[in-house]
Amino acid sequence: MDVLALEAKSVNGSDAEKKSAPRPKPKPPKKAKRIVYFEVEIVDLKTKEKLLLLDKVEPTATVLDIKALFQKSYPKWYPARQSLRLDPKAKCLRDEEVLQTLPVGTTAHFYFSDLGPQLTWGTVFLSECVGPLIIYLMFYFRLPFIYSPKYDFTSSKHWVVHLACMCHSFHYIKRVLETLFVHRISHGTMPLRNIFKNCGYYWATAAWMAYYINHPLYTTAYYGQQQVNTGLYIFLFCQVGNFSIHVALRNLKLPGSKSKRIPYPTKNPFTWIFWLVSCPNYTYELGSWIGFTVMTQCVPVAFFTLVAFIQMTVWAKGKHRSYLKEFRDYPTLRSSILPFIL
């Protein structure tokens, strides 16, 4: 009986100790981090006139966000039309740059300039391609006021003339379809004034080529059908290669993502040229026009090919430098446009 009483007493004592033991104090809630807001002042690049002062701009705001806020005060200047920079002589800031990562204090000064009316690059590409397609066909069908009236709506007796029309049309229809369904264009817009320069060049050279190839007095290639066939095979081979590269570059970019990756060859043999050049799409494009030149043996086509080669070399060299700058592990064996040469 005494033993039971002692056990009960010890149990009650332990319960009392548990109840009287101090409970751990709850941790105080963490203090919210103090957000440092920015003050953004936008001035005109030319007149240095103060255009807008934005107060309490979040540090995570992007340049595009600031452009959107600016548009609320100046509706005619939509974001694509705005150029913002930190210094009058500095480069334009990219839309994705974040305010808190820029070399500014809590008061940021931006210089604004108007880029003028803008067009999407898709619209530009379509204009550049549809124009030559229609213009060439006008000469091919020998519409009135192009050649002598007796040749109106007549057709050439040379098979190569019809073949050249099919190849030229195929090239530009391919480019139109690629613009609509393949390309993921990273550049947003281009100034409206530039479209006259771009389209003027492509449309004028297309008319120049078409005039001579479809002329009633056109003479065929010096080496006959063998030369025509050689040019045709080069043209078709490079057109397939060019399309293969465009598909590979599309698959490299994720929809809506601006992250860049190094392009590498795929299972498609036409993409294996990536081992040797950075911009094989330009390599194949050049090859296509060389094939077209061989096939038609036409001086305007050769001139267009030469100018295109110079321009694409400039683009390819710029892209190659960009790859080397962005990726430390970029393949050193690659050239810009021509393997081991250029």
Side-chain angles (χ1 to χ4, degrees):
M1 191 72 181
D2 294 338
V3 174
L4 293 174
L6 288 172
E7 289 180 356
K9 186 177 180 181
S10 64
V11 170
N12 292 334
S14 62
D15 290 342
E17 288 176 1
K18 288 180 181 180
K19 290 180 181 179
S20 62
R23 294 181 180 179
K25 293 182 180 180
K27 293 181 179 180
K30 292 182 178 180
K31 293 183 179 180
K33 290 184 178 180
R34 184 169 172 268
I35 299 177
V36 179
Y37 290 98
F38 283 70
E39 188 178 77
V40 176
E41 184 182 62
I42 301 177
V43 299
D44 189 275
L45 178 64
K46 294 181 180 179
T47 64
K48 303 300 184 291
E49 176 189 355
K50 182 178 175 180
L51 298 175
L52 184 66
L53 179 65
L54 298 172
D55 192 20
K56 289 188 176 181
V57 180
E58 293 187 359
T60 56
T62 63
V63 173
L64 182 61
D65 296 331
I66 296 172
K67 288 181 177 181
L69 294 172
F70 184 73
Q71 186 190 7
K72 290 182 180 180
S73 299
Y74 299 92
K76 71 173 183 177
W77 288 325
Y78 46 89
R81 188 168 177 167
Q82 300 175 35
S83 167
L84 295 179
R85 58 192 79 194
L86 297 175
D87 185 84
K89 296 181 180 179
K91 292 182 178 180
C92 299
L93 295 170
R94 300 190 306 273
D95 286 348
E96 62 270 16
E97 293 191 76
V98 181
L99 182 59
Q100 63 184 357
T101 63
L102 297 175
V104 295
T106 53
T107 300
H109 297 273
F110 289 92
Y111 293 89
F112 163 82
S113 60
D114 181 14
L115 297 176
Q118 301 287 302
L119 287 174
T120 63
W121 276 94
T123 303
V124 175
F125 289 152
L126 289 175
S127 301
E128 290 176 353
C129 298
V130 173
L133 177 63
I134 296 174
I135 289 171
Y136 193 99
L137 291 175
M138 290 171 60
F139 285 88
Y140 174 74
F141 290 111
R142 295 178 178 173
L143 298 185
F145 309 108
I146 295 178
Y147 302 114
S148 177
K150 66 178 181 179
Y151 295 114
D152 291 350
F153 298 110
T154 58
S155 60
S156 175
K157 62 181 179 180
H158 303 298
W159 166 243
V160 67
V161 172
H162 308 296
L163 186 62
C165 180
M166 287 187 283
C167 289
H168 189 274
S169 300
F170 173 80
H171 173 73
Y172 282 103
I173 290 173
K174 166 184 162 292
R175 287 187 59 177
V176 168
L177 294 176
E178 285 177 341
T179 301
L180 294 174
F181 304 110
V182 177
H183 294 315
R184 287 186 176 136
I185 302 170
S186 55
H187 300 288
T189 60
M190 186 185 78
L192 176 63
R193 60 181 178 272
N194 286 5
I195 196 172
F196 299 104
K197 176 183 66 176
N198 289 30
C199 290
Y201 169 72
Y202 284 106
W203 294 13
T205 51
W208 191 26
M209 288 188 288
Y211 177 83
Y212 283 97
I213 295 174
N214 297 285
H215 198 283
L217 302 179
Y218 169 78
T219 54
T220 57
Y222 182 80
Y223 293 101
Q225 193 62 38
Q226 184 178 2
Q227 181 177 333
V228 173
N229 291 341
T230 301
L232 176 63
Y233 297 149
I234 295 173
F235 176 85
L236 293 176
F237 178 86
C238 291
Q239 285 290 286
V240 175
N242 182 263
F243 175 75
S244 301
I245 297 300
H246 287 161
V247 172
L249 292 175
R250 170 191 167 84
N251 295 335
L252 198 67
K253 294 181 181 179
L254 298 176
S257 174
K258 292 189 176 181
S259 61
K260 297 180 180 180
R261 293 185 290 171
I262 300 175
Y264 284 105
T266 65
K267 295 180 179 179
N268 184 344
F270 286 96
T271 66
W272 294 353
I273 193 175
F274 266 126
W275 292 119
L276 301 176
V277 294
S278 295
C279 301
N281 51 323
Y282 295 145
T283 309
Y284 281 124
E285 181 77 6
L286 173 63
S288 296
W289 285 108
I290 290 175
F292 196 70
T293 303
V294 171
M295 180 173 58
T296 58
Q297 194 174 289
C298 184
V299 172
V301 180
F303 175 82
F304 177 83
T305 303
L306 177 62
V307 174
F309 170 62
I310 295 171
Q311 180 61 73
M312 287 189 290
T313 299
V314 173
W315 291 336
K317 280 184 167 292
K319 190 69 174 178
H320 184 70
R321 285 193 298 267
S322 177
Y323 281 141
L324 291 173
K325 185 177 179 180
E326 292 179 22
F327 304 106
R328 293 183 178 180
D329 56 340
Y330 192 73
T332 57
L333 184 63
R334 294 186 187 181
S335 302
S336 299
I337 186 171
L338 298 179
F340 310 111
I341 301 175
L342 192 63

